[in-house]
Short mmCIF file of all heavy atoms in Angstrom, two decimals:
data_model
loop_
_atom_site.label_atom_id
_atom_site.label_comp_id
_atom_site.label_asym_id
_atom_site.label_seq_id
_atom_site.Cartn_x
_atom_site.Cartn_y
_atom_site.Cartn_z
N ALA B 7 97.80 80.57 77.93
CA ALA B 7 97.22 79.58 78.71
C ALA B 7 95.69 79.86 78.76
O ALA B 7 95.31 81.05 78.93
CB ALA B 7 97.64 79.62 80.16
N GLU B 8 94.89 78.83 78.44
CA GLU B 8 93.42 78.97 78.45
C GLU B 8 92.77 77.67 78.81
O GLU B 8 93.25 76.62 78.30
CB GLU B 8 92.98 79.44 77.00
CG GLU B 8 91.57 79.48 76.65
CD GLU B 8 90.79 80.42 77.61
OE1 GLU B 8 90.96 81.60 77.50
OE2 GLU B 8 89.99 79.90 78.37
N VAL B 9 91.73 77.76 79.63
CA VAL B 9 91.13 76.56 79.98
C VAL B 9 89.91 76.10 79.08
O VAL B 9 89.43 75.02 79.05
CB VAL B 9 90.63 76.56 81.47
CG1 VAL B 9 91.88 76.42 82.46
CG2 VAL B 9 89.79 77.85 81.77
N HIS B 10 89.42 77.15 78.27
CA HIS B 10 88.23 76.84 77.39
C HIS B 10 88.85 76.33 76.14
O HIS B 10 89.41 77.02 75.32
CB HIS B 10 87.67 78.29 77.24
CG HIS B 10 86.38 78.23 76.35
ND1 HIS B 10 85.27 77.61 76.64
CD2 HIS B 10 86.14 78.89 75.18
CE1 HIS B 10 84.39 77.75 75.74
NE2 HIS B 10 84.88 78.50 74.86
N HIS B 34 95.28 74.59 79.92
CA HIS B 34 95.43 74.33 81.31
C HIS B 34 95.37 75.59 82.14
O HIS B 34 95.54 76.74 81.60
CB HIS B 34 96.91 73.69 81.48
CG HIS B 34 97.06 72.93 82.72
ND1 HIS B 34 96.59 71.68 82.95
CD2 HIS B 34 97.56 73.27 83.96
CE1 HIS B 34 96.91 71.29 84.11
NE2 HIS B 34 97.45 72.16 84.81
N ASP B 35 95.19 75.37 83.41
CA ASP B 35 95.01 76.51 84.41
C ASP B 35 96.28 77.31 84.43
O ASP B 35 97.44 76.72 84.62
CB ASP B 35 94.75 75.82 85.67
CG ASP B 35 94.70 76.93 86.74
OD1 ASP B 35 93.92 77.84 86.66
OD2 ASP B 35 95.51 76.83 87.73
N ALA B 36 96.15 78.60 84.14
CA ALA B 36 97.39 79.44 84.12
C ALA B 36 98.11 79.52 85.47
O ALA B 36 99.43 79.64 85.42
CB ALA B 36 96.88 80.85 83.79
N VAL B 37 97.47 79.43 86.59
CA VAL B 37 98.17 79.44 87.85
C VAL B 37 99.02 78.23 88.03
O VAL B 37 100.28 78.29 88.41
CB VAL B 37 97.13 79.57 88.97
CG1 VAL B 37 97.88 79.57 90.36
CG2 VAL B 37 96.33 80.84 88.80
N TRP B 55 94.85 90.12 80.03
CA TRP B 55 93.91 91.10 79.31
C TRP B 55 92.45 90.51 79.38
O TRP B 55 92.10 89.39 78.93
CB TRP B 55 94.30 91.09 77.74
CG TRP B 55 95.58 91.75 77.51
CD1 TRP B 55 96.40 92.41 78.45
CD2 TRP B 55 96.34 91.85 76.32
NE1 TRP B 55 97.54 92.80 77.88
CE2 TRP B 55 97.54 92.51 76.55
CE3 TRP B 55 96.01 91.37 75.00
CZ2 TRP B 55 98.48 92.76 75.53
CZ3 TRP B 55 96.98 91.62 74.03
CH2 TRP B 55 98.31 92.34 74.33
N PHE B 56 91.62 91.41 80.02
CA PHE B 56 90.23 91.09 80.22
C PHE B 56 89.95 89.81 80.90
O PHE B 56 89.21 88.90 80.38
CB PHE B 56 89.51 91.27 78.83
CG PHE B 56 89.84 92.56 78.24
CD1 PHE B 56 90.79 92.68 77.30
CD2 PHE B 56 89.05 93.62 78.51
CE1 PHE B 56 91.13 93.86 76.75
CE2 PHE B 56 89.36 94.88 77.99
CZ PHE B 56 90.34 95.05 77.20
N PRO B 57 90.57 89.61 82.09
CA PRO B 57 90.26 88.48 82.88
C PRO B 57 88.75 88.50 83.26
O PRO B 57 88.17 89.60 83.37
CB PRO B 57 91.15 88.53 84.20
CG PRO B 57 91.51 90.01 84.19
CD PRO B 57 91.46 90.52 82.80
N ASP B 58 88.19 87.37 83.63
CA ASP B 58 86.73 87.28 84.02
C ASP B 58 86.55 88.30 85.13
O ASP B 58 87.24 88.24 86.18
CB ASP B 58 86.36 85.88 84.50
CG ASP B 58 86.48 84.87 83.32
OD1 ASP B 58 85.85 85.18 82.28
OD2 ASP B 58 87.11 83.82 83.52
N ILE B 70 90.90 86.55 89.49
CA ILE B 70 92.25 85.97 89.43
C ILE B 70 93.27 86.91 90.13
O ILE B 70 94.24 86.50 90.66
CB ILE B 70 92.60 85.53 88.03
CG1 ILE B 70 93.89 84.58 88.13
CG2 ILE B 70 92.94 86.70 87.16
CD1 ILE B 70 94.11 83.78 86.81
N THR B 131 90.77 92.86 71.74
CA THR B 131 90.36 91.44 71.95
C THR B 131 88.86 91.33 71.77
O THR B 131 88.06 92.32 71.74
CB THR B 131 90.79 91.01 73.36
OG1 THR B 131 89.82 91.56 74.32
CG2 THR B 131 92.20 91.37 73.69
N HIS B 132 88.48 90.03 71.69
CA HIS B 132 87.02 89.75 71.56
C HIS B 132 86.24 90.35 72.71
O HIS B 132 85.16 91.04 72.56
CB HIS B 132 86.91 88.18 71.57
CG HIS B 132 85.51 87.69 71.52
ND1 HIS B 132 84.71 87.84 70.40
CD2 HIS B 132 84.73 87.11 72.48
CE1 HIS B 132 83.61 87.27 70.69
NE2 HIS B 132 83.62 86.83 71.96
N PHE B 133 86.70 90.12 73.94
CA PHE B 133 85.93 90.60 75.11
C PHE B 133 85.97 92.14 75.21
O PHE B 133 85.01 92.74 75.67
CB PHE B 133 86.33 89.97 76.41
CG PHE B 133 85.68 88.63 76.57
CD1 PHE B 133 86.07 87.46 76.01
CD2 PHE B 133 84.57 88.53 77.45
CE1 PHE B 133 85.46 86.23 76.18
CE2 PHE B 133 83.91 87.35 77.59
CZ PHE B 133 84.38 86.24 76.91
N GLU B 134 87.03 92.70 74.79
CA GLU B 134 87.11 94.16 74.75
C GLU B 134 86.05 94.80 73.83
O GLU B 134 85.37 95.65 74.15
CB GLU B 134 88.53 94.58 74.29
CG GLU B 134 88.70 96.06 74.14
CD GLU B 134 90.17 96.59 73.79
OE1 GLU B 134 90.87 95.62 73.28
OE2 GLU B 134 90.41 97.72 73.89
C1 SAM N 201 86.56 87.25 79.78
S1 SAM N 201 87.60 86.06 78.89
C2 SAM N 201 88.77 87.05 77.96
C3 SAM N 201 89.42 86.38 76.84
C4 SAM N 201 90.40 87.18 76.03
N1 SAM N 201 91.52 87.66 76.76
C5 SAM N 201 89.67 88.41 75.45
O1 SAM N 201 89.93 89.52 75.94
O2 SAM N 201 88.87 88.26 74.48
C6 SAM N 201 88.50 85.38 80.17
C7 SAM N 201 89.15 84.03 79.77
O3 SAM N 201 89.99 83.48 80.79
C8 SAM N 201 89.93 82.15 80.84
N2 SAM N 201 90.39 81.75 82.23
C9 SAM N 201 89.83 82.00 83.34
N3 SAM N 201 90.54 81.50 84.41
C10 SAM N 201 91.66 80.93 83.85
C11 SAM N 201 92.71 80.19 84.35
N4 SAM N 201 92.93 80.00 85.71
N5 SAM N 201 93.66 79.72 83.52
C12 SAM N 201 93.59 79.81 82.19
N6 SAM N 201 92.54 80.54 81.55
C13 SAM N 201 91.60 81.05 82.40
C14 SAM N 201 88.47 81.79 80.56
O4 SAM N 201 88.20 80.49 80.11
C15 SAM N 201 88.09 82.88 79.58
O5 SAM N 201 88.27 82.40 78.25
#
Side-chain angles (χ1 to χ4, degrees):
E8 171 61 66
V9 288
H10 180 62
H34 199 80
D35 174 58
V37 177
W55 295 351
F56 306 93
D58 294 311
I70 196 164
T131 76
H132 175 72
F133 274 83
E134 177 176 17

